[in-house]
Amino acid sequence: MSFDECYIKSVMRTIPDWPEPGVMFRDITPLFKDPKALRMIADAFIQRYIDTEVTHIASIDARGFLFGSIIAYQLNLPLVLVRKKGKLPGKTIHREYALEYGTAAVEMQVDAVAAGDKVLIFDDLIATGGTILAASTIIKELGAEVYEAAALIDLPDLKGSELIQQSGIPVYTLLAYEGL
């Protein structure tokens, strides 16, 4: 099944002024009720990464877990979690970052990745890029290499993809939504 951007966008919904006024929230939850859409998205990412040197999928809390786990399973790769601070047991490392509407922090367990690992960072959406940049900082501090940052959606007006690329990390997304 080939990827059909128009079909995927027709399944998604945009919720204005959530979680606060001025934010256009791109809601991916309807995609999980549509097996055709979910298969299209999963297949597109699987085909991109099936013959690469990626050794781990680092999936970002929480919507990134949904697609990241499918891709890790299909590629037979370890899935490591990048979670909101305070959600992982054991020894962790965390980094704070700015959101388009506030601040937050993410963390990983210190044994999630190691030197020699080539990690694909996966999230549902790239807005300001802060989450992926924070995750990439942790991954690099643990000795691994960031292979690429991938997401279903890019919001290019917020310049997150641009910041990620300027940091030396390639970016791949399936969809873009122009305008805030």
Side-chain angles (χ1 to χ4, degrees), residues 41-97:
I41 293 163
D43 286 351
F45 283 114
I46 291 162
Q47 288 305 308
R48 178 163 179 88
Y49 298 110
I50 197 163
D51 289 323
T52 65
E53 298 176 344
V54 171
T55 63
H56 292 70
I57 307 286
S59 195
I60 296 179
D61 197 346
R63 292 178 303 271
F65 292 172
L66 300 171
F67 290 114
S69 61
I70 294 168
I71 295 160
Y73 173 78
Q74 289 294 325
L75 296 176
N76 197 32
L77 294 174
L79 178 71
V80 296
L81 305 181
V82 180
R83 298 226 44 202
K84 294 176 178 105
K85 189 175 179 204
K87 298 292 183 179
L88 288 172
K91 189 171 181 183
T92 61
I93 182 171
H94 77 275
R95 288 296 164 262
E96 293 186 7
Y97 63 96

Side-chain angles (χ1 to χ4, degrees), residues 3 5 8-9 11-14 24-32 41 45 63 67 122-129 132 149-158 160-161 164 171-179:
F3 183 75
E5 181 177 345
I8 300 301
K9 283 186 171 182
V11 174
M12 288 185 47
R13 64 182 164 202
T14 299
M24 298 295 285
F25 186 79
R26 307 302 178 174
D27 184 14
I28 66 166
T29 56
L31 297 172
F32 295 97
I41 293 163
F45 283 114
R63 292 178 303 271
F67 290 114
F122 199 90
D123 205 355
D124 66 320
L125 178 138
I126 298 174
T128 64
I132 288 175
L152 173 61
I153 301 165
D154 183 23
L155 303 178
D157 293 342
L158 295 176
S161 291
I164 295 165
V171 173
Y172 179 74
T173 61
L174 294 178
L175 307 172
Y177 283 92
E178 302 283 339

